[in-house]
Amino acid sequence: MSFDGVFTHAMVDELADLLANGRVSKIHQPYQNEIILVMRANGKNQKVLLSAHSSYARIQVTDIPYENPDSPPQFCMMMRKHLEGAILENIEQVENDRIIRFLFKSRDEIGDIQNVMLVVELMGRHSNIFLIEQDTMRILDSIKHIPSSQNSYRLIMPGATYKTPPHQDKINPFTVSKDQVLEIIQTESDLPSGKKLQASFQGLGSDTVNELLQRSEEDEIQLPHVFQTFFSRIQEKNIEPTKTQVNNKETFTPVPYVSLDGVQTTYTSLSQLLDDIYRNKAEKDRVKQQAANLFHVLQTELSRNKKKLTKLQRTLDETEHADDYRVKGEILTAYLHELTKGQESIELQNFYDDNNPITILLDPRKTPSQNAQKYFSKYQKLKNAIIYVNEQMKQTREEIDYLDSIMTQLELATPKDVTEIKEELIQEGYLKKKTKKKQKKLKTSKPDQYQSSDGTTILVGKNNLQNDQLTLKTARKSEIWLHTKDIPGSHVIIQDSAPSETTLLEAANIAAYFSKSRLSASVPVDYVEVKKIRKPNGAKPGFVIYEGQQTIFVTPDEELVNQLKV
C-alpha cells in the first residue's frame, strides 16, 4: 500500500496523541530530503521523521538511529531558527489529502510570539516540506526549491506565497453518507466501480479500493454500508497496523486487509510498522546515494585489475615455451659453421630430440652468432619474467580480493558505515582527500553486537577499519574468531573461549550472511582462537592470516541474523 489518504489520516491521529503540546528540542537533517524533529512530549523524547523522499515519502515517529552531517544544510538551519523551542499546537490533515500541517507557536529573535506552520506534502517525486509564516502564508524555506520555469502553477522558493497543490473536486470519504456513496456507484459511467470510487473520493489508493470492493463482494447495494463501516473504524482510531508479505513484496495497512493474500504481522503502532518496512529499504537507498561514487571507483578498479590479470596470464603462458628458445639458441651455436648471413630459416638436427629435424627462423639482417644470441636473450627474458609475473599475479589477485571485500561491505552497509569505508579508500589511495575544510579525525565506530540463543555476545565488524580494531585490538586472545573460508566477508568474534555448539553455529551463520556468499547455500566458515591470527607487515586493512582453524558449513538465514541482533 502507498501512503494514501486513509493511512495518512490514521498516522495524523497517532502523531496528534503522541506529540500533543510537545516542545521541539532538536532539529536534524541527516539526509537530503529528510528532517528529524526531536520533540519532548508526554514525558518522553520522540524522534519525528518527516520525509520528502521520492519513493519513501512519509511522516512517523522513528527509533532508527541516524548519522548527522558535520555541517547542517541551509533548510535545517532555517528550521532551527524558527522552530527550536516551539510548542506544537495542532496536527491536521487537509481533508483526506496527503497534505499534513504542523501548527507551532514560537518566539522570534526579539521575543515576540510567532505562528509557524510546517507543511508536509506526500506526493511521490513531488513530495516537499515547507516552513511557512502562518499569518502571511509566506514560505520561509522548503526542502526542495522549484522555480516557476518548472512549475507554472506555483513558485516554491523562500519569500513566495504558499499555495496548496491544485485542488481536485473530490469528496472526503470520512464525511460522506451512505446515500451519497450509493448515488456515486449507481451513476451511469463506463468506469468500473473501483475507478468510480477513486475518481470521486479523495486519497483512496488502489489497495484501499480493492479492499472495499472485496468486503462488499462488489455488490453495489452492500458497498455503502461497507464503505461507512470501514471509514468509521479508521475515524474512531480502532486500527490494527498490519504488514502483509506476499512473496518478496511487503504491504502496510492501518487494519488487516482481507483482499491481500499473504503472511500478516500486526504492530502496536503505525510508526513501528513503518520502521520495520523501511528500515532496510530506505537505508539501502541512502547507502546507494551516499556510496554511488565509491561503487563507481571500486568497479573501475576491479575492471582494471581483472584486465591486468588476463594480460599477466597470457605472459605466463608464453613463459612455458622459454626452453624452446634456449634449445634453438644452443642448436644454432653448435651449427654456426653451417649458417650464413641473409638466411631467413634453416633446418638442422635437434640433438635434444633424437636428432629429428627442426626448422629455426632467422633474421637475414643478423649474423649467425647474433641470431643465436637473439634466442638466448628471449629465453633469459622469459625466464626472468616468470618470477616477476607470478609476483604481479599474486599482488593483483590480492587487490581483486580486497576490492571484492569492500564491494561486499558496501552492499551490506548502513549509512554510518559508508563514511568509514570512504575514509579507508582515501587512506589506501583510491580516493583523493578533500582539503578545503579542516576535518575531524574519524573515530572507528563500534562493531555490531549480536546475542546467541544462550546469551553469548557476538561482535561483527562491518568494514575493514572495524575488522582490524575488533580482531587485533578488542578481542581477547582466547576468544573465537570466525570468517568465511576464502570468501570476502566480516570478521566475527564470539566473546567466549569455549562457546556452545549452538553459539558456534549461530556465529557462523552471521559470518556467512555478512559475506559475498550470503545468498549461497552451505557456505564454509573457518573458526579459530584469536591468538592464532596475525596480520602480515604491509597487508591491506582487514587482511589477516591464521592457522589451526576448523571449518563448518552453514546456509545464511537472514531471519535468524535479525533475531539475534541486539
Side-chain angles (χ1 to χ4, degrees), residues 334-531:
Y335 291 101
L336 275 179
H337 60 282
E338 295 187 18
L339 276 66
T340 58
K341 187 176 180 180
Q343 289 178 285
E344 293 186 354
S345 66
I346 189 170
E347 187 176 283
L348 298 169
Q349 289 181 332
N350 184 356
F351 40 76
Y352 286 101
D353 186 23
D354 296 331
N355 287 328
N356 287 320
I358 181 172
T359 301
I360 302 175
L361 297 177
L362 302 171
D363 186 341
R365 295 167 298 178
K366 295 184 184 294
T367 65
S369 179
Q370 286 173 335
N371 270 300
Q373 192 57 44
K374 182 187 75 171
Y375 278 100
F376 283 127
S377 297
K378 183 72 172 174
Y379 162 71
Q380 198 61 43
K381 183 179 178 182
L382 290 175
K383 187 180 175 183
N384 294 338
I386 292 174
I387 300 171
Y388 173 78
V389 169
N390 280 324
E391 181 60 30
Q392 284 293 303
M393 289 183 76
K394 179 176 175 288
Q395 290 177 11
T396 305
R397 287 194 183 100
E398 287 174 355
E399 186 83 355
I400 289 170
D401 287 344
Y402 173 71
L403 295 168
D404 267 340
S405 75
I406 299 289
M407 287 287 279
T408 300
Q409 290 165 12
L410 272 180
E411 286 164 5
L412 290 166
T414 60
K416 67 178 182 179
D417 297 325
V418 175
T419 305
E420 289 187 2
I421 293 172
K422 185 176 181 180
E423 181 64 24
E424 179 185 338
L425 291 174
I426 290 172
Q427 290 176 11
E428 293 300 308
Y430 295 100
L431 293 174
K432 289 184 179 179
K433 189 171 185 177
K434 294 181 180 178
T435 54
K436 289 182 181 178
K437 294 181 182 178
K438 189 176 180 181
Q439 295 179 330
K440 297 178 183 176
K441 188 176 180 181
L442 184 70
K443 291 183 179 179
T444 304
S445 60
K446 293 182 179 179
D448 284 359
Q449 186 171 330
Y450 293 79
Q451 193 171 63
S452 69
S453 301
D454 62 13
T456 306
T457 299
I458 300 170
L459 301 177
V460 182
K462 294 295 295 298
N463 57 67
N464 286 324
L465 297 180
Q466 277 188 17
N467 286 336
D468 279 352
Q469 179 75 22
L470 176 60
T471 301
L472 305 172
K473 296 182 180 179
T474 305
R476 293 179 180 175
K477 298 296 181 184
S478 60
E479 291 175 347
I480 303 300
W481 178 90
L482 301 94
H483 193 281
T484 43
K485 185 178 182 66
D486 301 325
I487 300 166
S490 291
H491 291 206
V492 176
I493 295 290
I494 301 174
Q495 291 193 315
D496 192 335
S497 58
S500 66
E501 186 177 349
T502 299
T503 296
L504 194 59
L505 285 169
E506 288 174 345
N509 207 298
I510 293 170
Y513 179 75
F514 289 106
S515 79
K516 192 177 180 180
S517 294
R518 64 188 174 279
L519 300 178
S520 304
S522 195
V523 178
V525 178
D526 286 341
Y527 66 97
V528 69
E529 289 176 297
V530 172
K531 65 184 179 184

Side-chain angles (χ1 to χ4, degrees), residues 23-28 36-39 80 83-85:
R23 179 186 294 273
V24 179
S25 58
K26 293 179 182 177
I27 300 171
H28 303 291
I36 296 284
L37 302 180
V38 181
M39 297 183 66
R80 289 174 179 177
L83 286 184
E84 278 191 344

